[in-house]
Amino acid sequence: MPDREIRGEAEPAFLPYGRQEIADVDIKAVVEALVSGWLTTGPRVSEFEQAFAAHIGAGEGVAVNSGTAALHCAMRAIGVGAGDDVIVPAITFAASANAVLYEGATPVFADIEPDTLLIDPASVAARITPKTRAIVAVDYAGQPADYDALAALAKPRGIRIIADACHAPGAVYKGRATGTLADISCFSFHPVKHLTTCEGGMAVTDDAGMAAHMRRFRNHGIGSDHRSREAAGAHAYDMAELGFNYRLPDVQCALGLAQLKRLSGWVEARQRIARLYDDALASLAEAVPLKTHSDRTNAHHLYVVRLMDGIDRDRVFSRLRADGIGANVHYAPVYLHSHYAKLGYKPGLCPAAEAASRQIITLPMFPAMTEADVRRVVGALTRATA
Ligand SMILES: *Cc1c(COP(=O)(O)O)cnc(C)c1O
């Protein structure tokens, strides 16, 4: 039987900004897991952890039930706590900064490079103080941040780097893969990301001690689980710290294992679609694609263009939506959310981020997009910006 695709969108005429691919091999793997006797904390968890970490090129993987949980685990493993500052780029999904708040520490927002929207090392340098404990590097849209520049700031001061690589599995920085560029790297398996487990995430690291700590933290702070106690014929366990239940079920790990086999092909498909966009947009002066630095590759979770100053982005957004194009915006600066305003963050902190966030628009990007889809989007964008 040929692989069947189940499309995430019911409306065929609407082109969403992202869409998962679920094939018969995925369904078969999930059903097998469902009837295997292990719904959660079974053998598929470590199988998925090892397969994903090996694919990335990292020593250890810790599977959790969201990318946000992976970031929280990373904060705990690094020892971020009350009184610490953690530098986070202003343009990212709120979870990158929320994980800092979960541990009682303070997110300090760094500005971004206007042409890539990546964290700007010069802005990071200006925000480092003796309180700085860690830097969260976000591989925005799928392009790795400048890890060498960040490490040059962090290493001599004993500051840790956490990669929020949720956009970038498969991207390469100076010949090194994302997921191997920081002390801990975090991935998300939400349906719009490269690979999905419905909800899910993974923290990868080469540090066995931090991996063990994250495995305990995702399991209420308890060092053993049901399966290991059964194997040891023991009943006693100890809760050594206040952890959370961040476990990723076996059924979802089965989906992740089936999806992982297609990850490299999906990254290539996204890169091919990005090249089609780049070519088609070359003659449209009103919209400039974000730049990818020549020393790295972009895994293209998102395809983002920056509209010329003076163009009303929200009008372009509405026109694209009316034309059946699922445009989106990633992101408003995190500190402008009302929760952060309540914590005392004020507009003006990161001027480049604030300016960019008013001019960016995300175009549809997913592996099954065709060349005709790209032409349709660029045609709609040309009309919307006219
Ligand atoms: C998706 C995402 C997350 C969080 O992932 P979830 O799995 O949705 O919790 C964190 N950071 C960034 C940049 C993301 O895109």
Side-chain angles (χ1 to χ4, degrees), residues 52-314:
F52 188 81
H55 183 94
I56 291 294
E60 303 251 9
V62 179
V64 287
N65 54 17
S66 71
T68 306
L71 287 162
H72 190 187
C73 287
M75 294 297 160
R76 177 62 66 96
I78 272 169
V80 167
D84 291 336
D85 284 354
V86 177
I87 298 176
V88 182
I91 300 281
T92 183
F93 183 54
S96 317
N98 295 348
V100 179
L101 294 179
Y102 295 160
E103 288 299 282
T106 302
V108 172
F109 291 97
D111 216 337
I112 48 84
E113 299 173 344
D115 52 353
T116 61
L117 273 58
L118 292 172
I119 189 167
D120 181 354
S123 177
V124 172
R127 278 143 167 87
I128 288 177
T129 74
K131 286 167 71 180
T132 308
R133 182 74 187 222
I135 300 166
V136 178
V138 176
D139 300 330
Y140 178 82
Q143 174 171 204
D146 192 348
Y147 285 91
D148 282 353
L150 295 175
L153 295 167
K155 279 246 170 72
R157 297 175 175 88
I159 295 169
R160 297 289 200 162
I161 299 179
I162 296 172
D164 181 337
C166 290
H167 292 186
V172 177
Y173 173 82
K174 299 184 182 175
R176 287 131 66 200
T178 46
T180 67
L181 301 165
D183 292 294
I184 300 176
S185 301
C186 300
F187 294 91
S188 165
F189 307 133
H190 179 276
V192 296
K193 303 291 163 66
H194 284 69
L195 167 169
T196 191
T197 59
C198 303
E199 297 278 1
M202 185 105 58
V204 306
T205 181
D206 283 334
D207 187 311
M210 289 204 280
H213 189 176
M214 293 192 285
R215 279 199 191 97
R216 185 176 75 184
F217 184 64
R218 72 154 179 219
N219 187 39
H220 307 278
I222 297 171
S224 63
D225 64 17
H226 173 70
R227 190 158 153 256
S228 62
R229 285 194 295 277
E230 288 282 299
H235 66 82
Y237 59 82
D238 180 46
M239 196 194 96
E241 67 178 320
L242 186 61
F244 287 75
N245 180 351
Y246 281 155
R247 296 186 304 249
L248 186 64
D250 271 55
V251 175
Q252 287 169 247
C253 289
L255 178 57
L257 278 162
Q259 294 248 313
L260 183 60
K261 298 196 174 73
R262 281 119 73 210
L263 177 57
S264 298
W266 284 333
V267 172
E268 284 166 23
R270 288 171 178 275
Q271 290 171 337
R272 182 178 51 76
I273 293 157
R275 284 194 298 273
L276 293 172
Y277 267 129
D278 290 346
D279 291 346
L281 287 165
S283 53
L284 184 66
E286 284 78 9
V288 180
L290 293 187
K291 175 179 151 185
T292 297
H293 289 289
S294 58
D295 60 1
R296 52 204 101 161
T297 68
N298 192 325
H300 280 294
H301 164 53
L302 303 173
Y303 190 89
V304 176
V305 296
R306 186 166 180 158
L307 302 175
M308 288 286 108
D309 283 340
I311 297 180
D312 181 345
R313 190 268 318 277
D314 290 341

